[in-house]
Amino acid sequence: MDYQFDFHFLTGKADMLLEGLWVTLQLTLYANAMGVVLGFVLCLMAMSKFRMLRWPCQLFIEFFRCTPVLLQIVWFFYCIPILFQVYIDPITMGVLALGLNLTAFNAEAYRAGIQSVPKAHFDACVALGLKSWQQTLYVVLPQSLRTAMPVLLTNGISLMQQSALVAIVAVSDLMYMGKSIAVDAYRPLETYSLIALIYFLMALPISHLVNVFERRQDAAMQR
């Protein structure tokens, strides 16, 4: 291969990359916050004994888990304004689309965590006279969150990667800025390699954190 790498064309492009990186971080952080909170609420509703509450939530989960996230993003950006005459800024719309997708996946992670809570703990709650919201807040949430944490973090990494898909609807995230630089300079190999490295460096610490939680869980189960 006689291709000569040349990164000098990136001189003066740092502002564009930082601007795109900031948008990517906003999408990732806000959508993760949305997914972590709403995922637990959706999980409780999907596990409700009331069918009229349980079935729509289960349908929501299956829809977002069984359709491509790219299709969901495009639908939110183009169909919602047409159907409902609602116009939201691109970053908020991206957070909404990514956050609802993550909510569905996190709901399943929480469900597995809740099912792992020993029945004796629920019996103890009844014996202590705790109300339902007290059981949920003080017993179910802490234990299910601890069990689901590795999956929640992994889902968070996946969401950060999927956030690059908003570039297709012209949201000026890191991927979009990288594409603009690559087109202007006609140096796609160097540009996309740099973008990949940035995503890798952002995801690597979280990946190590997942391993830490998994080791702690394995150690706790062996006691």
Side-chain angles (χ1 to χ4, degrees):
M1 186 181 70
D2 58 356
Y3 186 85
Q4 298 295 323
F5 282 88
D6 181 9
F7 289 92
H8 290 92
F9 73 96
L10 291 172
T11 303
K13 304 293 185 181
D15 290 343
M16 290 183 63
L17 292 175
L18 289 175
E19 182 182 346
L21 177 60
W22 173 238
V23 173
T24 294
L25 290 175
Q26 288 183 79
L27 291 170
T28 301
L29 294 175
Y30 293 150
N32 265 289
M34 180 178 175
V36 168
V37 175
L38 294 185
F40 184 71
V41 175
L42 182 65
C43 173
L44 295 179
M45 295 171 65
M47 297 179 68
S48 172
K49 62 182 178 180
F50 301 107
R51 294 181 180 178
M52 296 302 293
L53 181 62
R54 184 175 69 248
W55 286 357
C57 294
Q58 292 176 342
L59 179 61
F60 176 94
I61 292 172
E62 293 304 320
F63 173 81
F64 278 93
R65 292 178 65 221
C66 297
T67 56
V69 65
L70 177 59
L71 177 61
Q72 296 166 18
I73 291 172
V74 172
W75 195 93
F76 269 86
F77 271 83
Y78 294 114
C79 297
I80 287 183
I82 295 174
L83 293 175
F84 304 106
Q85 298 298 307
V86 175
Y87 300 93
I88 307 175
D89 69 273
I91 295 180
T92 302
M93 189 68 82
V95 170
L96 184 61
L98 294 170
L100 289 177
N101 177 272
L102 183 63
T103 294
F105 283 89
N106 282 353
E108 287 298 287
Y110 280 120
R111 182 179 63 83
I114 291 175
Q115 291 176 342
S116 69
V117 177
K119 185 177 182 298
H121 292 192
F122 292 101
D123 295 337
C125 292
V126 175
L128 292 172
L130 297 181
K131 298 179 181 179
S132 297
W133 68 268
Q134 292 175 317
Q135 295 181 33
T136 301
L137 184 61
Y138 299 120
V139 178
V140 176
L141 177 58
Q143 295 190 65
S144 62
L145 183 61
R146 183 172 61 248
T147 302
M149 186 58 69
V151 180
L152 296 178
L153 290 173
T154 301
N155 289 346
I157 295 175
S158 298
L159 180 133
M160 182 189 66
Q161 298 166 348
Q162 292 169 350
S163 70
L165 295 173
V166 300
I168 199 172
V169 288
V171 177
S172 56
D173 71 326
L174 181 61
M175 186 65 185
Y176 182 85
M177 290 302 190
K179 181 178 68 173
S180 300
I181 294 173
V183 171
D184 291 341
Y186 200 65
R187 305 292 295 190
L189 188 55
E190 293 89 339
T191 304
Y192 291 127
S193 296
L194 177 60
I195 298 300
L197 178 61
I198 294 174
Y199 277 107
F200 173 76
L201 293 177
M202 288 193 294
L204 186 61
I206 305 175
S207 179
H208 282 295
L209 191 59
V210 171
N211 294 333
V212 171
F213 277 104
E214 289 178 340
R215 286 196 297 268
R216 287 184 177 179
Q217 287 186 0
D218 293 340
M221 292 179 63
Q222 293 174 1
R223 292 176 184 173

